[in-house]
Each structure stands twice: as C-alpha cells, then as structure tokens.
C-alpha cells in the first residue's frame, strides 16, 4: 500500500511560518543615546507613511507579530524609534525592522527606503506589499541580512539581489507569487559567497535547473526550499556542504534524489525531504549525522530496511518515516533513541513484532505505527511510556490475547480531554485514563463517531453533545463517572445508531427526545441511577435491537404494550436489577418478532453496526459479565432478573425460538415451568433461580441440546430431575434449594418414578418452527461449546480502526 498525502499548502505554510518567525526587534536593539541624520529620519518617515494605512482594525498576523509601537515621531531621534538600529557613532541607520507593521503598497525603485545605503539588516516580513520585489534592494551594498518573507510580494526575483555580496541571510519565503529562474539563481549562488541562511519556501522555482545549486556557498548552514515546485535531481553535494545544519525540502513532489552513502554534512540537525520523490534505501552511513534531531522522510519512495545504525542517532527527537516502502523488522537498536518524542512509521510495509524494548523510548509522546504488517502482541512495555499522548496502531495484524486485551488502546492517555482537530470524524479515545470534564468545544466538531468510553471522565453530559451533528452515528460514553441528568438533547439525531451511557452515575429520567432518533439500534443506559418507568415510548423506534436498562432504579409494571408488534426488532433485552414489578405480560413477548421468526438474511453471521465501527455491549452471559466486542445479529437474550415480577411465566415464551439466553432469576415468579420452554431449541442459558416456582422440571427441557447453563436453584420444584443429553452435564448447584427434587446429580434418590406433572397445557403448537428444529436437531449434542464460542469470535478479531486523532488517513494509490 502506498500512502499519499497531497501537499496541503496551508499546512505547509504553517511549517515555514514556524520556521521564519519574525526575528523581532530583539536583534535590532535600539539605543536612545544616539541621533540619526535628518535625511535618514525623513526617509524612514516617508517610507512608513507611504505604506501605512490609517485604520486597519485587525491584523492578519496579530498572533505571530510583535506590533511596533507608535514611537516614530518627527523631532525625536530616529535611532530611538522602534525597529531602528544605528551604528555606534549614531550617524547611520544600519538596521531596520518593520516586520508585522501592516505596511502596504508597491515599493518602487525610487522609494525613500533606498536612501539608507548603510543598512546591514532589513526586515520587512509579514506585511502586505502586493508588488514585485524592487531591483532597488540590490543597492544595499552592506546588507548582511534581508528578510522579505510572507509579505505578499510577487513577480520575478530581480537579479540585482546578487549584488548583495555581503549577504549572509536571505529569506524570501512565504511569497507564493514570487518566482525565481535559473539565471538569477546562478548569479545568487555565484556572488553570495557568504550566505549562511537561504530560505525560499513557497517561492516558485519550477524553472530552476538544480545544477545551479551545485556551488552553493560552503558557509551555508540553512537551506530551506519547502514547497518550491523544484524538479529534477538534487545534486549530491548539497548533503556535503560542510556547515549545513538544516536542510528542508518538504513538499516538492517532482524533486528526485537519494542520500549519499559517504561524506554527509556532519553538522546536520534538521533534515526533512518529506513529500518529495526521494527514493532508494537509507544508507547505513546516516549515522554520521551525530547531531540529527529531526529526520523527516515521510511520503517519499524510500525502500529497504531501516538500518540498524539508526540506533546511533541518539540525539534524535523527531523521526518520521511514514508513507514509504520500508520493509522488514524494526531494528532493536531503535530503542536507543532515548530522546525520541515523535515517531511516525505509519503506512509502510514493516513487519515482525514491535520489540519489547520499545518501552525504553520513554520520551515518546506521539507514536504512529498504523498501516504496516506488524504482528504479534502489543508489547506491554508500551505502558512505560508515560508521556505518550497519542498512539496509533490500527491497520496491523496485532492479536488480542483474550477478550479484555482486545482493547489495544488501553491505559495510555492521561490527563484531561484532548479535543481533536476539527477535521476529525471518527474520534475514539476509549480505554484510557482521562480525567476532568468533556469540554463543550467538542460540540463544534462534525463527528460521526464519538467514543470516549472507559476513561475516568467526570462532570455532567454537556447538552450540546446532542447537537454534535446530523452525521453522528455512535456516541459511547460508557464507563466514566458522569453524573447528573441526561439532558433532553436528542433533536438532531437522525443518524444516531448507537447510544451507550452504561456505567456512569446518571440520574433522573430517560430523555424522551430519543424518539427522534429513528435509526437507533443500540440503546444502553445500564448501570446508572436512572429513576423512571418503563419507556414504552421507545416502541416508536423501528430499528431498536438492543435495549439495556440493567442496574438502575426503573420501577412499575411492564404490562401496557399497545400492540402485539412492539419492539419488533429487539433481540437483546436487559432489564435486570431494577424495581420492575407486576406480571410478565404475553403481549410483550408476542411482539418480539426478531426472536420469534427466522429471517433468512440473519441466519448468516452478521454484526450490528457498519464496517468501520462495530457495536459492543456488556452482557451477563452464562453468569459472567462480558463485553461482546461485536454483536452478532443472531445473539439474543432476555434478562429480567432481580426485579419484583410475580405471577406465572407466560407460555408464549416458548414461541421465542431464537432465544439463546433467558434469565428470570431473583423475582417472585410462581406456578410451573412451562413445558413450552422445551421449544427454545437454541437456548444455551436458562436461569429461573430464586423464584417460587413449583411443580416438576418438564421433560421437554431435555430437547434443549445447546443448553450449557441451567439454574433452577432456590425454588419449590419437586420430583425427579430429567435425565439424558444436556441434563447429564449439570451439577448440583443447578438444583440446590429445591427441597422436593431428586435424582442425578443430587444425592437424594427418587423413591418412585412419578409421571411428569409439569403443566396443564402442553399443546402449544409452533408451526413455523419445525423446519428449523429439524435442522438443528441434526447437529445434536456435543456442539454446545462450539456454538457458545461463536459469540466470542470477537476474541481473535482485530479492531477495524483505532484512535485517529489527527485525522490524516492513508489513501490508497
Ligand atoms: C516613484 O516611481 C513611481 C513609478 O515609477 C511613480 O509613480 C512615483 O510617482 C514615483 N515617486 C516619486 C516620489 O518620485
Ligand atoms: C530571469 O529573471 C530575471 C529577473 O527577473 C529576468 O531578467 C530574466 O530575463 C529571466 N530569465 C529567464 C531566462 O527567464
Ligand atoms: C557580484 O557582486 C559584485 C559586487 O560585490 C558586483 O559588482 C557584481 O556585479 C556581482 N555579480 C553579479 C553577477 O551580480
Ligand atoms: C561551480 O564552480 C566551479 C568553480 O568554482 C565551476 O567550474 C563550475 O562550473 C560551477 N558549476 C556550476 C554548476 O555553476
Ligand atoms: C569523502 O571524504 C573523503 C575525505 O574527506 C575524501 O577523500 C573522499 O573523496 C570523499 N568522497 C566523496 C565521494 O566525496
Ligand atoms: C552504529 O550502529 C551500528 C549498528 O547498530 C554499530 O555496529 C556501530 O558500532 C555504531 N557506531 C557507533 C559509532 O556508535
Ligand atoms: C537528550 O537530550 C538532552 C538535551 O537535549 C541531551 O543533553 C542528551 O544528551 C540527550 N540524550 C541522548 C541519549 O543523547
Ligand atoms: C530496554 O528494554 C529491554 C526490554 O524491555 C530491557 O531488558 C532493557 O533493560 C532496557 N534497556 C534500557 C537501557 O533501558
Ligand atoms: C464553538 O463554536 C461557537 C460558534 O461557532 C463559538 O462561539 C465557540 O467559540 C466555539 N468554541 C470553541 C471552543 O471553539
Ligand atoms: C479515577 O479517578 C479517581 C479519583 O480521581 C481515582 O481514585 C481512581 O483510581 C481513578 N480510576 C482509574 C481507573 O484510574
Ligand atoms: C397482532 O396484531 C395484528 C395487527 O396489528 C393482528 O393482525 C394479529 O392477529 C395480532 N396477533 C396476535 C397473536 O394477537
Ligand atoms: C442471571 O441474573 C443474575 C442476577 O442478575 C445473575 O447473578 C446470574 O449470573 C444470571 N444468570 C446467568 C446464567 O447468567
């Protein structure tokens, strides 16, 4: 896979903005004891007046710029003016810094600026001249430093600049309308032999033949040609300039080149050729760059192995090799890079496992390893990386060791909530240790997925979350410490599919505005302190498949179902541990069509959710709370345990032939166990314990060949325990607390073999179920554990995506 990042001119602009911050008046310190000539002072005033416009209320560069004070007054010694520097004799202005002064208009060759012939330093950066660079600049014979960056100049660079033979620093960067041609470049190179810094970022240089760079001054320490449209081959000797400390060629896609294998410029500290056509393997000799702090090679065509000699670059703090074709394993020597804080290896073809020694990179703050072919386990030593604030591991072949460990992004982030850049659409920072409140600025994002589950966040749920966007499809806030009521915030939720608030301390009632969310499939309010009656109004949601209200303070009856078609899609129903009471009504179970009838489409394994995000849910499964990383649409469960239901178990439950788990334990149910439960052929877990059921255990239950868990304990059941098939596998504890039961596995022998007297009415017919029943019976017993594992397939499955904070993604080309 190749990863392509288009040169974003804005992003890139930022790069050089950072690099070429106005040098500011500090280096031009003025002294008030001197006095400049009338001539110079009026030339200065004239220039300033001509280019200043009276009222410009807001400055474009106000954040970057150190505004000059209004100290320029006639009659005052100009040597004392802000930005003006005079020589020690106080006769000549030798330095002028008018950066960030909101100057505008053309600087003509007759400009009074050029009446300051002794200038050694001139800084006009961050203004708005909107005109060509005047040939007049060539007149400053003593000029050593010229900064015209980011001032909206245009046109050709005049060849007269080559007369500035004393120049040691030339900065024309950030003038995207300016262009440079070969003949001017040659002259500059030839004559500017004292040049130490050359910054031309953004200047159009597509016409420049690169051999003109061959003879660049050997005193050069900085060469910055980012985004210049360079094309052709970069001469080798650039890498051999003996004093070069910074070489930045970012974002010149047509620029080709390779690294030399010998005689590097040893002093290089900053080397970045990202988004160029540089190619080939990295030479071992790269470790000649003993002082290297930043190496950026992203989005090039480099290939081969990452040389082990990388481990010698011990000063390095930023290493970006992303978007190349590097192969092979990571050299273990990488763990020598003790000062590394930014590591980006994403989008390569790296393989093998992440060495355990990665945990030695203790200063790493940003770590991107995604979209490679790494295998094996995520080294646990990564948790040593205390400064890690961003870890991106997606798109590899990592395995999770067990269900819990699937949370690869566990326990890395600490501190308060990081608001991602506005470009982010999928945002997950789940399984970290974030604290504090959700900042309301999160609401300014246009998110599709917001997953902040499993942190330690506090505070109330900001109302504005409900207005996040029309596109929000998943909001997962589970397992935090949010408190307060849930605001009526669901007005704009037409895409919302999944809403999970489980395991918080939320109280009050359920927000009825949820009825607006017609696409809701998963609704999980479990483990809070919600006090409300049963939300019948959710009937109106045609797609609702998962309803979890467990462990709250819900109360009242659940008998008033309007139609027999309520909750037709519901397949996971967990109302356990509330204060519900009254009878279990037949109407409720009648309506559960998704558990009642075979839907051809759903016989094949599918998951709730979409490819990029799969819903997970906590369920109590066979007695253990588990996180199902994905919800198979064939997974069905009804858990009404730990409430105050009384009366009989409705026979109609026997129609829910796709039910896999039924838990009615810890209620006050009475009467017989309906023999119709013997029709629940897929049932794997049946818990009717701690009720007041009487009669005997219906023989029909022996046809439940998938039944792995049976708990009938603490009831008033009597008679012999049915024998054979699954019943041979249940232990004592399935039956304890029923004084009247006898037979295996209980030690109490049955005195006489009583005829099963379970239920009056044994003649329920399920016409639609027989075909299915026959098929399933064909597999018979012994299949139990296999099928049970089926739900936990989540085990070995890698997550589809992981944290994507920066919002850059790999584009396949
Ligand atoms: C300077 O030159 C420009 C264009 O060549 C002209 O318009 C302007 O009047 C001149 N200014 C002075 C002060 O001579
Ligand atoms: C290069 O630019 C200079 C200065 O603007 C100009 O005088 C010259 O004609 C240009 N040369 C070519 C070959 O375009
Ligand atoms: C080089 O600089 C000298 C002055 O130092 C000047 O006379 C000469 O014209 C310049 N050459 C070019 C090609 O600009
Ligand atoms: C570089 O300079 C040498 C001599 O100093 C000269 O012979 C050669 O032609 C120059 N090369 C270029 C490309 O200007
Ligand atoms: C590298 O440097 C050595 C010693 O300075 C020199 O002998 C050799 O010619 C150089 N090699 C290249 C390819 O420039
Ligand atoms: C550089 O790294 C290589 C490979 O890890 C090693 O053999 C060599 O000794 C190192 N050189 C220095 C100067 O540290
Ligand atoms: C890490 O950086 C510090 C300060 O920049 C420096 O003193 C130290 O030598 C570096 N560590 C290594 C292992 O190079
Ligand atoms: C680096 O990590 C490895 C494996 O985790 C460990 O054995 C070793 O002691 C660490 N080395 C240093 C210098 O911290
Ligand atoms: C969010 O957007 C609103 C309105 O566009 C704006 O007033 C507010 O400052 C923004 N908040 C943040 C934190 O960006
Ligand atoms: C959450 O924060 C509380 C107090 O701030 C702390 O006691 C608790 O250990 C934290 N929990 C986790 C899982 O970090
Ligand atoms: C369910 O309701 C439909 C109409 O809504 C009706 O036709 C059907 O007979 C009812 N079924 C039962 C079992 O009550
Ligand atoms: C049924 O629910 C009770 C209480 O919620 C729980 O303790 C028990 O483990 C559940 N039974 C099964 C088999 O999951």
């Amino acid at each position: 896979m190749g990863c392509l990042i288009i040169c974003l001119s804005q992003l890139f602009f930022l790069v050089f903005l950072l690099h070429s911050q106005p040098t500011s008046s500090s280096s031009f310190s003025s002294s008030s004891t001197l006095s400049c000539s009338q001539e110079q002072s009026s030339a200065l005033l004239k220039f300033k007046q001509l280019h200043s416009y009276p009222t410009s209320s807001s400055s474009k560069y106000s954040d970057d710029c150190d505004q000059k004070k209004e100290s320029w007054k006639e009659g005052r010694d100009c040597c004392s003016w802000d930005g003006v520097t005079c020589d020690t004799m106080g006769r000549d202005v030798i330095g002028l810094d008018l950066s960030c002064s909101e100057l505008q208009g053309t600087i003509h060759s007759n400009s009074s600026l050029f009446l300051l012939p002794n200038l050694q330093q001139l800084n006009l950066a961050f203004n708005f001249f909107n005109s060509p660079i005047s040939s007049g600049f060539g007149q400053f014979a003593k000029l050593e430093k010229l900064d015209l960056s980011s001032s909206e100049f245009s046109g050709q660079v005049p060849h007269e600049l080559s007369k500035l033979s004393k120049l040691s620093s030339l900065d024309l960067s950030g003038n995207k309308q300016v262009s440079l041609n070969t003949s001017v470049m040659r002259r500059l190179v030839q004559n500017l032999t004292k040049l130490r810094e050359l910054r031309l970022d953004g200047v159009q240089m597509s016409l420049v033949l690169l051999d003109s760079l061959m003879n660049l001054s050997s005193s050069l320490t900085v060469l910055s040609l980012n985004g210049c449209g360079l094309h052709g081959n970069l001469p080798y000797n650039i890498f051999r300039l003996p004093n070069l400390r910074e070489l930045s060629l970012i974002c010149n896609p047509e620029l080709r080149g390779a690294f030399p294998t010998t005689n590097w410029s040893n002093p290089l500290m900053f080397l970045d050729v990202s988004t160029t056509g540089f190619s080939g393997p990295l030479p071992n000799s790269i470790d000649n760059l003993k002082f290297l702090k930043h190496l950026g090679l992203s989005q090039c065509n480099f290939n081969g192995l990452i040389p082990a000699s990388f481990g010698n670059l011990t000063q390095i703090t930023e290493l970006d090799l992303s978007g190349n074709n590097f192969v092979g394993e990571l050299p273990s020597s990488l763990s020598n890079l003790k000062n590394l804080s930014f590591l980006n290896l994403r989008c390569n073809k790296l393989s093998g496992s992440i060495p355990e020694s990665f945990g030695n990179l203790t200063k790493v703050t940003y770590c991107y390893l995604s979209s490679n072919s790494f295998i094996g386990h995520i080294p646990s030593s990564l948790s040593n990386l205390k400064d890690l604030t961003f870890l991106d591991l997606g798109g590899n072949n990592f395995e999770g060791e067990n269900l819990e460990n699937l949370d690869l992004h566990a326990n890395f982030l600490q501190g308060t909530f990081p608001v991602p850049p506005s470009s982010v659409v999928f945002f997950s920072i789940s399984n970290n240790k974030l604290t504090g409140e959700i900042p309301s600025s999160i609401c300014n994002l246009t998110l599709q997925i917001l997953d902040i589950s499993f942190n330690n966040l506090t505070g109330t749920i900001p109302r504005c979350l409900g207005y996040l966007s029309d596109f929000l499809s998943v909001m997962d806030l589970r397992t935090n410490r949010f408190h307060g009521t849930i605001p009526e915030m669901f007005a704009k939720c037409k895409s919302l599919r999944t809403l999970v608030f489980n395991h918080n301390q939320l109280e009050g009632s359920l927000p009825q505005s949820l009825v607006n969310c017609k696409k809701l499939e998963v609704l999980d309010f479990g483990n809070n302190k919600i006090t409300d009656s049963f939300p019948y109004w959710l009937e109106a949601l045609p797609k609702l498949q998962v309803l979890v209200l467990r462990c709250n303070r819900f109360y009242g009856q659940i008998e008033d179902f309007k139609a027999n078609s309520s909750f037709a899609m519901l397949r996971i129903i967990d109302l356990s541990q509330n204060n519900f009471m009254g009878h279990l009504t037949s109407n409720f179970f009648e309506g559960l069509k998704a558990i009642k009838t075979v839907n051809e489409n759903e016989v094949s394994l599918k998951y709730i959710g979409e490819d990029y995000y799969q819903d997970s849910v906590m369920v109590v499964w066979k007695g253990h709370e588990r996180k199902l990383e994905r919800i198979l649409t064939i997974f069905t469960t009804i858990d009404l345990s730990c409430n105050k239901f009384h009366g009989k178990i409705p026979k109609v439950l026997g129609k829910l032939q796709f039910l896999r788990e039924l838990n009615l334990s810890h209620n006050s149910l009475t009467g017989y166990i309906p023999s119709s439960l013997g029709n629940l052929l897929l049932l794997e877990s049946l818990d009717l314990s701690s009720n007041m059921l009487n009669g005997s255990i219906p023989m029909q239950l022996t046809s439940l060949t998938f039944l792995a868990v049976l708990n009938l304990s603490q009831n008033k059941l009597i008679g012999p325990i049915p024998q054979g098939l699954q019943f041979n596998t249940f232990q004592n504890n399935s039956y304890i607390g029923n004084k009247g039961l006898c037979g295996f596995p209980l030690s109490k022998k049955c005195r006489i073999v009583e005829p099963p007297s379970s239920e009056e009415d044994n003649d329920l017919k399920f016409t639609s179920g027989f075909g299915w029943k026959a098929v399933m019976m064909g597999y018979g017993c012994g299949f139990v554990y296999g099928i049970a594992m089926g739900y936990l397939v989540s085990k070995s499955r890698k997550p589809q995506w992981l944290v994507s904070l920066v919002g850059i993604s790999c584009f396949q080309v």
Side-chain angles (χ1 to χ4, degrees):
M1 187 210 311
C3 293
L4 172 73
I5 286 187
I6 290 112
C7 286
L8 298 169
S9 55
Q10 276 184 322
L11 179 78
F12 158 69
F13 190 61
L14 196 81
V15 172
F16 58 72
L17 266 186
L18 291 174
H19 269 280
S20 52
Q21 283 282 318
T23 33
S24 93
S25 42
S26 58
S27 58
F28 295 89
S29 62
S30 46
S31 166
S32 55
T33 59
L34 312 167
S35 64
C36 70
S37 70
Q38 180 61 34
E39 201 181 328
Q40 294 184 69
S41 123
S42 73
L44 282 169
L45 270 183
K46 210 163 166 190
F47 178 74
K48 185 112 187 291
Q49 276 158 10
L50 190 61
H51 295 282
S52 298
Y53 285 71
T55 53
S56 52
S57 51
S58 66
S59 165
K60 265 199 223 178
Y61 296 117
S62 56
D63 290 343
D64 304 307
C65 285
D66 185 13
Q67 296 273 337
K68 301 290 166 295
K69 290 185 215 93
E70 281 307 316
S71 60
W72 286 36
K73 298 246 161 56
E74 227 159 344
R76 275 186 73 188
D77 178 8
C78 78
C79 294
S80 69
W81 296 351
D82 249 1
V84 176
T85 313
C86 295
D87 67 359
T88 46
M89 309 298 289
R91 296 216 186 91
D92 284 319
V93 174
I94 57 165
L96 179 60
D97 178 0
L98 286 173
S99 60
C100 304
S101 298
E102 299 184 6
L103 302 178
Q104 309 182 27
T106 310
I107 302 175
H108 292 291
S109 55
N110 59 5
S111 167
S112 62
L113 181 67
F114 303 122
L115 301 175
L116 301 165
N118 297 315
L119 273 186
Q120 294 169 18
Q121 304 202 332
L122 175 59
N123 185 350
L124 297 177
F126 297 97
N127 286 295
F128 313 94
F129 293 112
N130 281 311
S131 61
I133 297 172
S134 168
S135 59
F137 284 100
Q139 296 169 29
F140 296 115
K142 297 181 178 167
L143 205 61
E144 292 168 9
K145 199 167 176 181
L146 178 61
D147 186 349
L148 303 180
S149 64
S150 300
S151 276
E152 303 191 1
F153 282 107
S154 57
Q156 296 272 341
V157 174
H159 64 76
E160 284 82 359
L161 289 191
S162 64
K163 292 188 194 159
L164 305 175
S165 54
K166 295 231 166 90
L167 213 55
S168 81
S169 169
L170 176 62
D171 189 349
L172 303 180
S173 61
N175 291 297
K176 288 194 272 185
Q177 306 297 317
V178 168
S179 56
L180 183 60
N181 66 28
T182 307
S183 66
V184 173
M185 192 71 210
R186 277 194 210 288
R187 281 168 172 240
L188 290 174
V189 168
Q190 211 174 353
N191 235 20
L192 307 188
T193 51
K194 302 204 165 136
L195 209 55
R196 292 166 56 79
E197 291 193 25
L198 179 59
R199 297 184 190 272
L200 300 173
D201 307 299
V203 170
Q204 294 171 38
M205 291 177 64
S206 54
L207 295 177
V208 173
L209 298 175
L210 296 182
D211 71 349
S212 63
L213 300 176
M214 283 276 278
N215 285 351
L216 270 169
S217 156
S218 64
S219 27
L220 206 64
T221 59
V222 175
L223 178 60
S224 191
L225 302 176
N226 301 324
C228 291
L230 299 176
H231 81 237
N233 277 301
L234 191 77
Y236 261 133
N237 56 348
I238 299 283
F239 294 102
R240 294 185 167 144
L241 291 167
N243 294 299
L244 198 62
R245 283 186 308 186
E246 176 180 336
L247 176 60
S248 195
L249 302 168
I250 302 170
C251 219
N252 287 289
E254 308 278 299
L255 176 65
R256 288 180 303 277
F259 286 154
T261 49
T262 56
N263 298 22
W264 284 85
S265 311
N266 284 346
L268 263 179
M269 294 169 71
F270 184 103
L271 173 58
D272 203 324
V273 299
S274 294
T275 321
T276 63
F278 265 71
S279 58
L282 296 182
N284 272 315
S285 62
I286 197 149
D287 71 348
N288 292 0
L289 305 178
K290 297 263 176 288
F291 302 103
L292 203 60
K293 280 182 168 306
H294 173 106
L295 180 61
L297 309 181
S298 85
Q299 312 300 327
C300 295
N301 291 315
F302 288 106
N303 55 28
L305 301 169
I306 297 179
S309 63
F310 253 74
N312 296 339
L313 300 172
T314 51
Q315 300 293 319
I316 207 160
T317 60
E318 292 159 346
L319 176 58
D320 188 347
L321 306 184
S322 63
N324 285 288
N325 293 310
F326 289 114
V327 296
E329 303 197 0
L330 294 180
S332 59
S333 62
L334 272 190
S335 58
N336 296 339
L337 307 182
K338 296 282 188 300
N339 275 353
L340 197 61
S341 77
F342 178 97
L343 175 64
N344 190 351
L345 303 176
R346 58 197 304 274
C347 301
N348 276 291
K349 293 171 177 162
L350 296 166
S351 55
S353 55
I354 308 287
E356 191 67 30
S357 60
F358 246 56
N360 292 349
L361 299 173
T362 49
K363 292 208 180 142
V364 168
T365 312
Y366 293 91
C367 181
Y368 304 78
L369 303 176
S370 61
S371 300
N372 278 291
S373 301
F374 290 122
I375 53 164
H377 301 299
I378 309 292
S380 57
S381 63
L382 285 191
S383 56
N384 298 340
L385 309 184
K386 297 296 181 231
D387 290 342
L388 196 63
T389 55
F390 189 85
L391 176 65
D392 176 15
L393 299 168
N396 281 294
N397 300 317
F398 293 120
E399 299 161 12
E401 207 147 25
N402 55 42
L403 217 54
E404 284 70 34
N405 283 356
L406 248 188
D407 302 324
L408 298 178
H409 33 182
N411 300 330
F412 293 116
L413 301 179
Q414 292 186 5
T416 54
F417 194 99
V419 176
S422 58
S423 54
V424 169
V425 177
F426 297 173
F427 184 50
S428 167
I429 47 165
S430 70
N431 291 280
N432 288 293
K433 289 179 174 167
L434 299 177
T435 52
E437 305 197 1
I438 308 181
S440 57
S441 54
I442 186 95
C443 302
N444 282 6
L445 303 179
T446 306
L447 291 178
Q448 212 168 317
I449 290 182
L450 173 65
D451 182 355
I452 59 178
S453 58
F454 299 95
N455 279 289
N456 208 353
L457 294 164
T458 50
T460 54
I461 292 174
R463 167 178 279 267
C464 68
L465 271 191
Y467 301 93
L468 257 178
S469 83
D470 278 345
F471 307 106
L472 189 71
S473 102
V474 175
M475 188 193 297
D476 189 345
L477 311 188
R478 93 183 70 171
T479 316
N480 280 289
R481 294 190 294 140
F482 296 118
H483 63 84
T485 57
I486 305 165
E488 286 292 352
M489 60 185 191
F490 301 98
K492 213 176 151 188
C493 60
K494 66 177 183 224
S495 306
L496 194 64
R497 212 169 41 70
T498 300
L499 186 64
V500 183
F501 286 0
N502 200 312
H503 264 294
N504 281 289
Q505 293 152 24
L506 298 167
E507 52 196 30
S509 51
L510 287 185
Q512 297 215 8
S513 53
L514 277 172
V515 295
N516 297 321
C517 315
K518 296 286 188 236
K519 293 213 172 132
L520 258 186
E521 292 177 19
V522 178
L523 194 52
D524 183 352
F525 287 102
N527 297 294
N528 281 289
K529 299 173 183 166
I530 296 170
T531 310
D532 204 344
S533 55
F534 184 81
Y536 293 104
W537 43 270
L538 289 175
E539 279 179 307
L541 301 180
K543 301 197 162 172
L544 196 63
Q545 299 190 52
V546 177
L547 176 62
V548 178
L549 303 178
R550 70 177 291 117
C551 257
N552 276 288
R553 297 167 184 170
F554 284 93
Y555 58 86
Q557 300 171 337
I558 57 165
E559 294 176 1
D560 297 333
F561 294 92
K562 287 186 201 112
N564 62 12
S565 60
S566 310
F567 296 106
M569 298 300 286
L570 215 50
R571 53 183 93 241
I572 295 181
I573 304 163
D574 187 348
L575 309 183
S576 112
Q577 306 193 44
N578 281 290
N579 297 316
F580 287 120
M581 51 182 270
H583 288 89
L584 297 177
T585 154
S586 296
N587 263 355
F588 178 52
F589 301 108
E590 282 281 3
L592 303 174
K593 292 219 169 59
I595 314 183
K596 261 167 78 176
T597 49
V598 194
N599 179 339
E600 293 295 323
N601 299 329
E602 284 157 9
V603 172
S604 64
L605 298 188
K606 270 184 25 185
Y607 304 95
I608 299 184
E610 288 156 33
D611 283 346
Y612 54 82
Y613 185 88
Q614 271 145 3
D615 296 291
S616 62
V617 70
M618 302 294 295
V619 292
V620 174
W621 174 242
K622 296 183 180 171
H624 301 283
E625 190 166 39
R626 299 204 185 240
K627 182 175 180 197
L628 296 186
E629 290 289 340
R630 294 171 301 154
I631 310 171
L632 277 167
T633 54
I634 61 162
F635 184 77
T636 51
T637 174
I638 296 179
D639 189 345
L640 306 180
S641 64
C642 291
N643 280 288
K644 295 171 181 160
F645 292 114
H646 62 86
K648 294 183 179 178
I649 298 176
K651 282 177 281 190
V652 69
L653 260 171
K655 290 189 183 179
L656 302 178
Q657 53 185 326
F658 293 94
L659 193 60
R660 312 237 169 206
E661 175 172 32
L662 178 63
N663 193 341
L664 302 179
S665 70
H666 300 273
N667 281 292
S668 305
L669 299 171
T670 51
Y672 296 123
I673 296 173
S675 58
S676 66
L677 292 188
N679 292 298
L680 305 181
L681 294 179
L682 301 183
L683 204 63
E684 294 178 41
S685 173
L686 176 63
D687 190 344
L688 304 178
S689 64
S690 299
N691 279 292
M692 297 184 283
L693 300 171
N694 54 33
S696 61
I697 302 171
M699 276 305 293
Q700 285 84 342
L701 294 190
T702 56
S703 48
L704 304 182
T705 49
F706 294 122
L707 199 62
V709 175
L710 175 70
N711 192 348
L712 303 177
S713 65
Q714 310 297 343
N715 277 294
K716 298 175 173 171
L717 299 170
I718 54 164
I721 293 169
Q723 302 298 317
L725 297 167
Q726 292 309 117
F727 275 78
N728 291 344
T729 66
F730 303 131
Q731 310 287 315
N732 280 359
N733 54 9
S734 294
Y735 309 107
I736 52 174
N738 291 284
K739 289 198 183 114
L741 287 177
C742 62
F744 177 83
L746 300 179
S747 49
K748 183 177 171 193
K749 298 264 173 341
C750 298
R751 267 173 294 155
I752 46 158
V753 179
E754 298 165 34
S757 69
S758 56
E759 199 179 336
E760 319 86 314
D761 180 5
N762 233 345
D763 60 4
L764 279 173
K765 299 229 174 12
F766 304 111
T767 45
S768 65
F770 279 113
W772 179 251
K773 180 171 177 170
V775 170
M776 294 312 287
M777 291 299 278
Y779 291 92
C781 108
F783 196 56
V784 172
Y785 299 103
I787 255 280
M789 296 289 284
Y791 307 121
L792 309 181
V793 283
S794 41
K795 258 185 158 175
S796 60
R797 196 183 152 93
K798 58 185 177 180
Q800 297 273 333
W801 59 281
L802 260 168
V803 196
S804 198
L805 188 64
V806 275
I808 306 170
S809 49
C810 288
F811 301 99
Q812 243 163 335
V813 288

